[in-house]
Amino acid sequence: MSDLGPLNRSALARRVEELRAEASNNIEEQHVLSRVILKQFTDDRHLLHAVSVIDRNAMILIKGPRGVGKVPNFVPQASRSAEELWGRTENLIPRVIKLCQQDRLHDDPAAVAVVRDIVALHYIRNRGLLTIHKRGYEQIRAELRRNARNMPGYEQGFRRQFRRALRDDEDHDAYFEVLARKTDSDFRSGLLFRASVERMFMRCRQWMVEKPVQLLHPEGGMFLIGDSPVISVDHLGRLGPENGVAIGNAIQILMPLTPRTLIAFGPSATGVVPAEIVAELNTFQVRAAHEYVFVHPASGLEDFVRTVRFGADVVGGELSSESL
């Protein structure tokens, strides 16, 4: 027994070993919200407005897609190959958006499949999932620690390591730390997260393969988009994985693609939604966002974002002319 028992034999652990050789081949600046989608929320100057949901007094940033929607080192190890994997879906987004704008998406089953992949991709590139990964690892580690003595070969492994029989809890603690050393190192470095986020992407794609896709357009006004754009809602109204709403447990899954197109999982159809529904869908985005919500400069939604997030007493913020 060389490490954490069952984890060593899992497909996840095998994938970690495959990725180890490329662990240092990384891209620091990683978009968690695809630039091609952010581009849809820009004006003729190719700029959008980024509204903070952390600081009510922060200036509204005026930037291009290249400068927003990023988390440095979100995948900290072997990230170049991860970016290449995400890119296979992102390269198909422009055509899908064009079909959505023409209300021709459902004429092309392959394009509908790409829409599902877009949702899966943006669901797993979520800072909330990184928090869940860390929490889950600690829970699994604690459970393995409690049950390690029941693992086949555990006491024999201790005898081989220390050349004597296992006597007490102190011996158990020492041996468990030896077994956990390699996996703990992969957890701290982010290599385990790299393998986990890839596996989750594949699982989400598989789970959604038969889900019908619905297109919604606003009767008036515009949709906005947050930096956690896939909204999974449960029957209690909770949002997102960090609130315990896994994509498989959601009663509704939503994601804006453009200011005038939003994806929903429901009966295959195209529909127009009234202003009050647009406001409700935009509210979901604001509530779920981690740092910023992005709005088209002509939308006039900046104060809406601040009101939803901070309350009705917020005064509209200044604009910063910083742009990238």
Side-chain angles (χ1 to χ4, degrees):
M1 178 176 289
S2 59
D3 59 20
L4 282 178
L7 287 181
N8 186 47
R9 297 190 292 270
S10 70
L12 179 62
R14 290 193 298 271
R15 183 58 179 147
V16 167
E17 292 306 314
E18 292 170 356
L19 292 167
R20 195 176 302 282
E22 58 181 273
S24 61
N25 191 1
N26 296 307
I27 297 174
E28 180 179 355
E29 294 294 323
Q30 300 172 35
H31 274 83
V32 294
L33 181 49
S34 297
R35 284 168 55 188
V36 67
I37 291 178
L38 285 166
K39 183 181 177 181
Q40 309 307 311
F41 292 81
T42 63
D43 59 12
D44 292 341
R45 300 174 299 161
H46 308 295
L47 299 173
L48 51 71
H49 288 179
V51 186
S52 173
V53 294
I54 296 176
D55 182 357
R56 66 168 62 215
N57 297 313
M59 290 187 295
I60 296 167
L61 301 181
I62 306 174
K63 289 197 172 188
R66 187 183 296 273
V68 296
K70 298 184 292 187
V71 176
N73 295 314
F74 175 69
V75 175
Q77 298 278 286
S79 61
R80 186 172 297 277
S81 61
E83 290 291 298
E84 291 170 355
L85 176 61
W86 315 148
R88 295 172 197 167
T89 294
E90 290 177 313
N91 290 339
L92 302 173
I93 294 176
R95 179 175 180 272
V96 165
I97 287 177
K98 184 176 181 180
L99 289 173
C100 290
Q101 291 170 335
Q102 298 171 344
D103 285 339
R104 293 173 49 219
L105 177 71
H106 295 104
D107 297 338
D108 188 336
V112 175
V114 173
V115 166
R116 297 189 189 102
D117 288 351
I118 294 168
V119 174
L121 175 60
H122 287 86
Y123 177 78
I124 59 97
R125 291 195 309 195
N126 183 326
R127 277 169 282 199
L129 286 179
L130 181 56
T131 300
I132 291 170
H133 169 75
K134 293 176 179 178
R135 187 188 310 146
Y137 182 80
E138 296 300 335
Q139 291 172 347
I140 292 172
R141 192 184 193 280
E143 182 178 351
L144 285 170
R145 188 187 194 104
R146 287 192 298 270
N147 299 320
R149 291 187 183 185
N150 298 322
M151 294 179 185
Y154 185 80
E155 294 198 13
Q156 294 90 328
F158 179 92
R159 187 183 295 274
R160 286 193 299 271
Q161 181 80 24
F162 297 101
R163 300 185 182 279
R164 63 177 177 80
L166 189 152
R167 292 192 295 256
D168 51 27
D169 288 344
E170 186 175 343
D171 282 353
H172 164 59
D173 290 344
Y175 186 42
F176 184 85
E177 292 304 319
V178 170
L179 297 181
R181 190 176 299 152
K182 183 178 179 181
T183 308
D184 283 348
S185 177
D186 291 337
F187 170 71
R188 289 191 298 269
S189 74
L191 190 60
L192 184 60
F193 179 67
R194 163 66 178 84
S196 297
V197 75
E198 177 184 297
R199 182 177 68 163
M200 185 171 293
F201 177 51
M202 299 304 182
R203 285 183 171 181
C204 286
R205 293 175 70 194
Q206 184 62 36
W207 180 82
M208 290 189 289
V209 71
E210 298 296 335
K211 295 292 180 182
V213 172
Q214 195 173 56
L215 293 182
L216 303 179
H217 303 302
E219 187 176 52
M222 297 187 190
F223 295 122
L224 47 69
I225 190 166
D227 58 13
S228 179
V230 176
I231 305 298
S232 53
V233 188
D234 71 2
H235 66 286
L236 297 175
R238 297 178 300 180
L239 305 181
E242 57 264 59
N243 293 312
V245 187
I247 201 166
N249 297 327
I251 61 170
Q252 185 57 277
I253 299 169
L254 310 158
M255 180 182 170
L257 275 187
T258 79
R260 308 222 178 256
T261 301
L262 182 141
I263 298 167
F265 282 0
S268 295
T270 299
V272 175
V273 292
E276 59 269 24
I277 300 300
V278 174
E280 181 179 358
L281 296 171
N282 283 342
T283 296
F284 285 152
Q285 288 290 318
V286 178
R287 287 175 54 197
H290 292 283
E291 291 185 349
Y292 287 99
V293 170
F294 309 106
V295 306
H296 190 285
S299 69
L301 288 168
E302 295 85 355
D303 284 345
F304 171 87
V305 173
R306 293 181 168 209
T307 299
V308 169
R309 192 69 176 221
F310 301 117
D313 59 337
V314 176
V315 177
E318 298 179 359
L319 296 178
S320 166
S321 61
E322 178 187 3
S323 63
L324 291 176

